[in-house]
C-alpha cells in the first residue's frame, strides 16, 4: 500500500517550531517539506490537509499571537 503511511497524516495537528520552517518536519522517520496557502509562523497550530511527493500541505488552525 504505497502512500498509506503518508495519507494517515491527513488531519494530524502540530505546533510549528523554528526547525519546521527551516528544515521541514519528520513523522514516522520520514522527512517532509511544508507548504501552506498562507505564511507560517513559529507557534502556529496547523493541520495536515494534503500529502504528495512534494511534502505536506498544512492549514493554520490557530495563529500564534
Amino acid at each position: 500500500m504505497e502512500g498509506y503511511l503518508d495519507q494517515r497524516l491527513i488531519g494530524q495537528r502540530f505546533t510549528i517550531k523554528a526547525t519546521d520552517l527551516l528544515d521541514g518536519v519528520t513523522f514516522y522517520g520520514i522527512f517532509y517539506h511544508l507548504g501552506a496557502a498562507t505564511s507560517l509562523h513559529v507557534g502556529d497550530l496547523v493541520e495536515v490537509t494534503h500529502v504528495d511527493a512534494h511534502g505536506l500541505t498544512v492549514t493554520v488552525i490557530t495563529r500564534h499571537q
Side-chain angles (χ1 to χ4, degrees):
M1 260 192 176
E2 186 174 329
Y4 173 72
L5 183 61
D6 295 337
Q7 294 303 311
R8 288 190 332 179
L9 294 174
I10 293 176
Q12 175 79 30
R13 290 185 177 190
F14 61 97
T15 300
I16 297 290
K17 298 177 290 207
T19 55
D20 299 339
L21 296 175
L22 298 173
D23 303 325
V25 294
T26 302
F27 288 103
Y28 307 109
I30 301 170
F31 173 80
Y32 298 93
H33 292 284
L34 287 179
T38 60
S39 58
L40 299 172
H41 302 92
V42 173
D44 288 350
L45 175 65
V46 298
E47 182 174 315
V48 177
T49 56
H50 182 77
V51 181
D52 63 24
H54 301 289
L56 303 178
T57 302
V58 297
T59 299
V60 176
I61 301 300
T62 307
R63 285 250 179 241
H64 178 67
Q65 299 289 332

